[in-house]
């Protein structure tokens, strides 16, 4: 079993932001932010990510030695998280305001979306192993051998001074990370107006959109051929390779009618009509085994993302939400004043199939 481990990472950022009133009707909000998300490290340096590509350079065209990266530098650091932002509010008249804005928003890597899966007890000892027909025969593994029997058979001696393993002597089935991964981000924008209808009621109507880029993509690599039972690259099992190739788009029309609490009553009514498309999960998490792409390239190693575009599992086209609060008119007295009844109501269309 995998021994106890501890992954450490740190993040920090700086930002400058200011509100500028250009005249009595126009207000600007300007800002810029820079963040850095450190490359994670494992306390005992049991952190092994393959170099060059998901096979450590030992793919079917260049078999031989599997190269790993230094455990303290499992992928290249990224310093480009620069996030400008701008917003405005313009008063058309005393009762109507137009608001809008746009910005870039970066996200630190989710440690459970890949980094936690490259911890091993030692280099050359796989945490999990999915063997094809050739590997079963090579390492002498048969059903129902337990892990205590299989693990020594598929483990091998690796050189910790160079972080290399001989491909012919070990079996590798652990996840890998893109060594040039860059942090995911989203472009977010909105434009809308607010109109005061009465002294207590206001109506909002807005368009809200965003585009997520460099989102987590983790298809299974080196899948076994269903007819031959063999894997494209020998001595490698089927494993997840984490990249940042996914992306998403979101567009929505949002409107709300709100009554400010007065004379014992306040309420809000909100509706959203949205469109959301992505290629994989469209988020920052991981490991959607039931969402693996089904169409692979001829070599069986990659999947064309364009064949997988569709609605994510969490997408809802319609969402109606209401809230209300009512102060009970019980009259005056120690135990009569201040009693409130509040409620929430939500209805939305079902998740995509």
């Amino acid at each position: 079993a995998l021994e106890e481990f501890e992954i450490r990472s740190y993040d920090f950022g700086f930002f400058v932001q200011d509100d500028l009133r250009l005249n009595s009707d126009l207000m600007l909000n300007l800002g810029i932010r820079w963040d850095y998300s450190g490359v994670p490290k494992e306390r005992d340096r049991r952190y092994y990510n393959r170099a060059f590509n998901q096979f450590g350079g030992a793919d079917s065209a260049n078999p031989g030695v599997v190269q790993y990266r230094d455990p303290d530098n499992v992928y290249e650091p990224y310093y480009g998280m620069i996030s400008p932002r701008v917003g405005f509010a313009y008063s058309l008249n005393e009762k109507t305001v137009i608001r809008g804005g746009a910005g870039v928003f970066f996200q630190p890597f989710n440690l459970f979306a890949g980094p936690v899966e490259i911890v091993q007890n030692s280099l050359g000892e796989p945490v999990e192993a999915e063997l094809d027909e050739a590997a079963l025969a090579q390492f002498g593994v048969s059903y129902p051998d337990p892990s205590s029997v299989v693990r020594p058979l598929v483990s091998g001696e690796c050189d910790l001074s160079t972080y290399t393993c001989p491909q012919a002597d070990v079996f590798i089935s652990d996840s890998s990370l893109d060594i040039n991964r860059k942090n995911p981000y989203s472009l977010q924008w909105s434009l809308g107006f607010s109109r005061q209808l009465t002294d207590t009621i206001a109506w909002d109507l807005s368009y809200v959109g965003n585009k997520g880029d460099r989102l987590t993509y983790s298809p299974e690599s080196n899948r076994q051929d269903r007819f031959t039972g063999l894997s494209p690259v020998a001595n490698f099992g089927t494993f997840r390779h984490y990249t940042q190739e996914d992306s998403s788009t979101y567009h929505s029309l949002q409107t709300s009618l709100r009554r400010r609490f007065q004379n014992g009553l306040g309420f809000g009514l909100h509706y959203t009509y949205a469109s959301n498309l992505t290629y994989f999960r469209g988020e920052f998490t991981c490991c959607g085994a039931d969402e693996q792409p089904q169409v692979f390239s001829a070599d069986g190693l990659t999947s064309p993302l364009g064949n997988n575009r569709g609605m994510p599992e969490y997408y809802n086209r319609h969402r109606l939400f209401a809230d209300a609060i009512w102060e009970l008119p019980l009259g005056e007295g120690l135990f009569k004043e201040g009693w409130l009844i509040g409620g929430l109501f939500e209805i939305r269309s079902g998740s995509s199939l």
Side-chain angles (χ1 to χ4, degrees), residues 11 33-38 40 75-85 103-115 177-178 180-188 210-217 242-248 278 280-286 314:
D11 307 287
R33 181 183 181 96
W34 177 78
D35 291 274
Y36 176 72
S37 183
Y75 55 81
E76 294 297 317
Y78 179 61
Y79 301 99
M81 289 195 285
I82 302 174
S83 310
R85 300 167 192 183
V104 179
F105 299 83
F106 278 90
Q107 178 78 13
F109 283 120
N110 183 346
L111 293 179
F112 288 94
L177 313 177
D178 181 4
N180 294 309
R181 64 195 334 226
K182 297 178 180 179
N183 289 78
Y185 68 92
S186 65
L187 302 174
Q188 302 180 19
N210 70 60
K211 184 181 188 306
D213 207 359
R214 299 206 295 249
L215 306 181
T216 300
Y217 181 51
Y242 286 86
T243 69
Q244 308 305 125
E245 298 178 67
D246 193 15
S247 63
S248 68
T278 185
F280 186 52
R281 295 177 62 96
E283 55 184 41
F284 305 110
T285 58
C286 68
Y314 51 81

Side-chain angles (χ1 to χ4, degrees), residues 36-56:
Y36 176 72
S37 183
V39 178
K41 296 176 173 58
E42 201 280 321
R43 177 190 56 199
D44 302 316
R45 304 185 83 243
R46 297 186 293 119
Y47 218 26
Y48 303 111
N49 187 34
R50 295 185 283 280
F52 308 122
N53 56 27
Q54 65 263 47
F55 299 101

Side-chain angles (χ1 to χ4, degrees), residues 153-266:
L153 296 176
V154 299
S155 300
E157 294 294 328
C158 297
D159 190 341
L160 287 176
S161 64
T162 60
Y163 302 111
T164 57
C165 294
Q167 182 182 2
D169 298 335
V170 297
F171 187 82
I172 299 170
S173 193
D174 297 294
S175 299
S176 62
L177 313 177
D178 181 4
I179 63 173
N180 294 309
R181 64 195 334 226
K182 297 178 180 179
N183 289 78
Y185 68 92
S186 65
L187 302 174
Q188 302 180 19
W189 58 90
S190 65
L191 179 64
F193 78 92
S194 299
R195 174 73 177 177
Q196 181 181 341
L197 302 180
T198 70
D199 290 341
T200 59
I201 297 178
W203 175 48
D204 296 332
L205 180 66
S206 301
Y207 160 69
V208 178
N210 70 60
K211 184 181 188 306
D213 207 359
R214 299 206 295 249
L215 306 181
T216 300
Y217 181 51
S218 55
E220 291 181 341
S221 187
N222 206 44
R223 282 182 170 181
Q224 297 178 20
D225 185 282
R226 68 181 68 184
F227 299 108
T228 66
L230 302 179
S231 302
V233 180
N235 283 34
F236 279 87
T238 301
F239 59 89
R240 279 189 292 268
H241 179 58
Y242 286 86
T243 69
Q244 308 305 125
E245 298 178 67
D246 193 15
S247 63
S248 68
T249 55
Y250 174 84
H251 303 282
S252 69
L253 181 68
Q254 302 180 11
T255 185
S256 66
L257 188 68
R258 291 175 289 111
R259 185 186 193 279
R260 177 167 49 89
F261 184 77
Q262 186 173 317
N263 298 326
L265 178 64

Side-chain angles (χ1 to χ4, degrees), residues 5 14 23 30 51 76 79 129 146 149 168 172 205 250 282 289 294 312 325:
F5 61 90
F14 303 93
N23 55 50
L30 302 174
E76 294 297 317
Y79 301 99
V149 173
I172 299 170
L205 180 66
Y250 174 84
Q294 298 301 309
I325 185 169

